[in-house]
Amino acid sequence: MENIRQAVERAKIRQTREGQLGREPTAQQARRVYGDADESMRLTQEVELDLAHLQSQRIVAFDGNDLRSRSFDMLRTEIQQSMDLKGWKTLAVTSPTPSCGKTLTAVNLALSMARQPERQVFLADLDLRKPHVASSLGLKCREGVVGVIEGRVELDSAIVQARVGSSRLQVLPTAPASNSSDLVGSSAMRLLLQDIKRQGQSRVIILDLPPLLTGHDVISILPQLDCVLLVAAVGTSKVSEIEECNKYLQETDVVRFVLNKVPESTTRYVYY
Ligand SMILES: Nc1ncnc2c1ncn2[C@@H]1O[C@H](COP(=O)(O)OP(=O)(O)OP(=O)(O)O)[C@@H](O)[C@H]1O
Ligand SMILES: [Mg+2]
């Protein structure tokens, strides 16, 4: 695992230098709702993403010629190398506290990966408290993950095949839920993740999670993940918070650490 403290120290030096529903659906209910994975994928809806909207949300990595996508492309390459080496498929993005840039990083990373024709990418919003994947991509979402695990909709109708240029990205957005922790820790959620993993053996799955320190959502899902990308932000994240994350992540592979919102005079993203 990355030594997060050392990474933060290095980042600091570099900066200086460079300028509830409460009811859980049963596993049986959940299986019935998901149905057959291959069958369900055929019914997935397709949406062409609006480039102007993406730009307005700082979503840039769909365009390899945009200089702002370079930091995401570099992050992509390093993460893919690590994941390929270990045979990891599931990457979760989290941060110590809110607003560090998890969603922005997860979406841009997913789009950067999706530009590679040989890669299949699946992006799921598991931040059931404050879901923003759909809004950042300009997608509408009435149910999504919450609807699937509460048994109201099938997985097939919750997945969106997003197109941008020649890239394809499978997206599982979500509506918000007041009982987020119950749902994220539920057996229905475990089944959902199993189904997603089964559907594409060669596919990378990126999960946009809530902050680690503001609830127990992330802790409850950690055992089902292969690795974590931890995003902290200049002016928001304290070293003590990152150290606290380190404690929770003792048993988890932290594939990279991103220091986001680095002042304009340097680069916007620093990662280790
Ligand atoms: N590098 C950056 N430069 C400027 N603004 C940024 C940067 N990264 C993120 N933001 C902005 O900060 C806000 C929070 O970003 P984002 O929603 O990605 O964070 P988050 O960690 O997912 O937040 P939450 O905890 O609410 O889910 C957004 O308005 C986003 O556009
Ligand atoms: Mg977010």
Side-chain angles (χ1 to χ4, degrees):
M1 189 172 84
E2 283 280 321
N3 184 322
I4 296 169
R5 188 189 173 89
Q6 283 176 0
V8 171
E9 290 306 319
R10 284 201 300 271
K12 278 161 81 185
I13 291 165
R14 180 168 168 172
Q15 263 182 270
T16 311
R17 195 180 61 226
E18 294 181 348
Q20 187 147 353
L21 184 70
R23 276 186 288 111
E24 177 184 317
T26 63
Q28 209 174 13
Q29 277 176 321
R31 278 216 185 284
R32 180 169 50 74
V33 170
Y34 301 155
D36 175 71
D38 293 336
E39 176 65 23
S40 70
M41 290 306 295
R42 273 184 242 135
L43 301 169
T44 297
Q45 56 169 315
E46 282 200 26
V47 173
E48 180 81 44
L49 300 181
D50 180 330
L51 302 189
H53 176 83
L54 295 178
Q55 298 270 6
S56 74
Q57 301 295 304
R58 297 190 171 91
I59 305 301
V60 294
F62 60 88
D63 180 3
N65 293 319
D66 188 324
L67 288 180
R68 294 170 298 175
S69 73
R70 282 198 183 161
S71 49
F72 296 109
D73 292 352
M74 286 170 67
L75 182 63
R76 167 193 81 185
T77 301
E78 295 200 6
I79 287 177
Q80 282 179 172
Q81 279 175 356
S82 299
M83 292 184 76
D84 289 350
L85 198 66
K86 301 280 176 81
W88 291 336
K89 298 290 175 207
T90 314
L91 168 76
V93 183
T94 188
S95 62
T97 56
S99 298
C100 291
K102 294 178 294 299
T103 303
L104 180 135
T105 304
V107 173
N108 275 301
L109 185 61
L111 284 167
S112 174
M113 287 183 179
R115 292 206 329 268
Q116 305 163 109
E118 73 281 9
R119 298 269 178 180
Q120 290 179 295
V121 188
F122 187 98
L123 172 65
D125 196 343
L126 297 191
D127 187 345
L128 307 186
R129 291 169 196 271
K130 289 198 294 176
H132 280 133
V133 168
S135 58
S136 67
L137 289 172
L139 303 173
K140 291 189 175 68
C141 179
R142 293 217 326 264
E143 290 278 8
V145 172
V146 171
V148 175
I149 59 182
E150 289 184 343
R152 288 188 299 277
V153 295
E154 296 187 18
L155 178 57
D156 58 347
S157 56
I159 295 173
V160 178
Q161 177 90 18
R163 279 185 282 115
V164 52
S166 57
S167 303
R168 300 281 179 279
L169 175 67
Q170 287 185 322
V171 184
L172 179 57
T174 190
S178 54
N179 57 335
S180 158
S181 297
D182 294 340
L183 296 181
V184 172
S186 68
S187 55
M189 178 63 89
R190 277 195 298 281
L191 282 171
L192 173 59
L193 279 175
Q194 282 169 16
D195 279 348
I196 292 170
K197 288 177 195 173
R198 254 199 308 268
Q199 280 180 6
Q201 295 299 316
S202 61
R203 187 172 63 174
V204 62
I205 299 160
I206 300 177
L207 307 173
D208 185 20
L209 295 184
L212 182 51
L213 304 179
T214 57
H216 54 94
D217 300 31
V218 176
I219 296 162
S220 66
I221 208 169
L222 279 179
Q224 295 167 76
L225 310 174
D226 290 328
C227 56
V228 162
L229 171 62
L230 187 65
V231 179
V234 173
T236 303
S237 305
K238 301 185 181 113
V239 170
S240 60
E241 292 167 348
I242 297 163
E243 284 174 340
E244 205 178 338
C245 288
N246 209 359
K247 282 187 213 153
Y248 287 114
L249 297 171
Q250 290 290 334
E251 304 298 320
T252 307
D253 285 291
V254 180
V255 68
R256 282 293 179 277
F257 171 80
V258 169
L259 186 61
N260 189 23
K261 302 193 181 181
V262 174
E264 202 64 61
S265 57
T266 65
T267 176
R268 275 174 177 238
Y269 302 89
V270 178
Y271 58 90
Y272 295 91

